[in-house]
Amino acid sequence: MDGLLINGEATTLKPGLTMQQLLEELGYDLREGRFIVAVNGSLVPVGEWAEHRLNPGDQIDILGAITGG
Amino acid sequence: MKDNSDALVINREKIGGRLWLGTSHYPSPEVMLRALDAAQPGFVTVSLRRQTALEVADNGYWAGLQDWMTASDARLLPNTAGCQSASEAIRLAVMARELFGTSWIKLEVIGDDYTLQPHTLELVDAATELCRQGFDVLPYCTDDLVVCEALLRAGCHGVMPWAAPIGTGKGLLNPYQLRTLRERLPEAVIVVDAGIGRPSQAMQAMELGVDAVLLNTAVARAHDPVAMAAAFSAAVVGGRRAWAAGLMAERDIASPSTAVAGLPFWHQPMGRDA
């Protein structure tokens, strides 16, 4: 797959973007602490978003806080 | 009223209460926060899931909880709910530490979808690795003594055996086993987690000498969650005090509370019977 898989869904977004650019494109509020991001199951810390470039077929998980027991 | 003379200490950290509360299933963020106020929990459990930009932006429960936490001495306890293998749980724990800014983790690895019984083998593997990585691990486990011993050897700060399957409200299905855990692991932190449905059941657990009780549904699904949180808080304090006071030994033979000696008219014919 050439596109990016975001939260389990295939998208037409193309690789080559940085993580920061992708999140802005998707409309996420980038204030620190609101969510975290993993690529192919590995955490990408906030400080690396501007530099982390996405590759074809990357699986991206964007995780936020929910209630839990 | 908080009783600081009997504080719960885990890994040298003083925990603010022996009732720990989950945050799911409340009818609104406002009711959740008022229930937390009423419970004054030591830990508050949360989790993490995939979210869209809109879900991140419109997250009233989390926004409210963050504000509430700043004015509370409660700690966040992220969970790894839904994980079914050690590798999944380890990965989610790493994400949780980053999102919530805490190394405390309620480690859950589920082995059976029907009963939500912990997968104890995967659980010990996950606990071993997370302890190695410096997490403060509190594992949700069964009441199996040998498993609890293995989790403590792995470096967990305590164990959190179930009373009954999650969300059932059945109470302590095997009090004998919980009593055995207390007797055999006298120095370990033991927290009864899951299956508590009534304040009397929380009190029963505390009377057995466990250190804390973690529950969610029984409060959140009550007709009045705020009042129920207060009821559980009182029950946990009462149960702890009863344990500390030393319960009488149960016996099979009746024994009068009032002295028999000196009873007047003993075997004397009276009135009509004369």
Side-chain angles (χ1 to χ4, degrees), chain A residues 7-8 26-29 33-38 40-46 60-69, chain B residues 22-24 45-53 56-57 59 61-62 79 91-92 94-95 98-100 106 108 216:
Chain A
N7 282 349
L26 294 172
Y28 279 90
D29 180 346
R34 304 296 296 270
F35 61 92
I36 55 103
V37 179
N40 302 325
S42 296
L43 180 73
V44 179
V46 178
I60 298 150
D61 284 301
I62 304 166
L63 307 180
I66 65 162
T67 57
Chain B
T23 53
S24 284
T45 55
V46 288
S47 196
L48 65 169
R49 287 291 184 272
R50 288 169 167 166
Q51 287 187 338
T52 64
V56 168
N59 194 342
Y61 282 93
W62 176 229
N79 69 31
R91 192 176 300 142
L92 198 61
V94 170
M95 310 292 166
E98 180 78 2
L99 180 63
F100 295 110
K106 174 183 165 178
E108 285 187 59
N216 187 159

Side-chain angles (χ1 to χ4, degrees), chain B residues 232-245:
Chain B
F232 268 104
S233 178
V236 166
V237 169
R240 178 66 187 179
R241 288 181 176 171
W243 159 257

Side-chain angles (χ1 to χ4, degrees), chain B:
Chain B
M1 183 187 77
K2 281 197 170 177
D3 182 1
N4 291 323
S5 64
D6 183 34
L8 174 59
V9 177
I10 306 179
N11 193 33
R12 296 180 296 281
E13 288 192 36
K14 189 171 164 183
I15 308 302
R18 294 179 181 274
L19 172 59
W20 301 359
L21 211 55
T23 53
S24 284
H25 303 316
Y26 289 90
S28 70
E30 292 71 27
V31 171
M32 176 189 75
L33 297 175
R34 287 173 52 219
L36 291 172
D37 272 337
Q40 292 295 302
F43 276 101
V44 176
T45 55
V46 288
S47 196
L48 65 169
R49 287 291 184 272
R50 288 169 167 166
Q51 287 187 338
T52 64
L54 187 60
E55 289 168 332
V56 168
D58 185 22
N59 194 342
Y61 282 93
W62 176 229
L65 185 56
Q66 281 179 302
D67 285 344
W68 186 85
M69 293 294 295
T70 59
S72 166
D73 61 357
R75 287 167 169 73
L76 276 183
L77 184 60
N79 69 31
T80 61
C83 292
Q84 297 188 333
S85 68
S87 61
E88 282 177 6
I90 292 165
R91 192 176 300 142
L92 198 61
V94 170
M95 310 292 166
R97 180 167 59 180
E98 180 78 2
L99 180 63
F100 295 110
T102 177
S103 55
W104 288 102
I105 192 79
K106 174 183 165 178
L107 180 61
E108 285 187 59
V109 185
I110 299 301
D112 179 70
D113 286 339
Y114 187 72
T115 60
L116 298 179
Q117 177 170 335
H119 193 311
T120 50
L121 306 178
E122 294 284 322
L123 186 66
V124 173
D125 286 349
T128 302
E129 175 58 21
L130 289 172
C131 290
R132 191 191 66 78
Q133 292 186 24
F135 281 85
D136 296 303
V137 181
L138 294 170
Y140 163 61
C141 56
T142 61
D143 54 13
D144 185 306
L145 173 62
V146 178
V147 168
C148 289
E149 287 175 326
L151 290 164
L152 294 168
R153 271 198 308 275
C156 295
H157 294 317
V159 289
M160 302 208 295
W162 63 353
I166 296 171
T168 62
K170 287 182 177 295
L172 277 58
L173 293 182
N174 193 347
Y176 168 82
Q177 190 60 23
L178 291 173
R179 189 180 300 113
T180 300
L181 288 181
R182 181 70 294 164
E183 289 171 0
R184 296 295 305 280
L185 305 171
E187 304 301 323
V189 171
I190 300 174
V191 181
V192 165
D193 178 8
I196 297 289
R198 297 164 182 254
S200 58
Q201 296 162 352
M203 184 177 233
Q204 184 190 6
M206 296 304 295
E207 286 174 352
L208 289 175
V210 306
D211 297 282
V213 171
L214 200 173
L215 55 98
N216 187 159
T217 310
V219 168
R221 295 283 201 220
H223 178 69
D224 182 342
V226 179
M228 189 59 80
F232 268 104
S233 178
V236 166
V237 169
R240 178 66 187 179
R241 288 181 176 171
W243 159 257
L247 294 157
M248 66 164 277
E250 190 176 312
R251 49 190 291 169
D252 291 328
I253 306 300
S255 172
S257 301
T258 304
V260 173
L263 178 70
F265 325 123
W266 185 250
H267 289 178
Q268 291 178 13
M270 296 286 292
R272 281 192 310 204
D273 301 329

Side-chain angles (χ1 to χ4, degrees), chain A residues 16-17 20 22-25 27 37 41 44 48-49 54 57 64 68-69:
Chain A
L17 297 170
Q20 177 119 1
L22 174 75
L23 295 169
E24 287 171 351
E25 176 91 13
V37 179
V44 179
E48 297 177 14
W49 288 357
L54 297 165

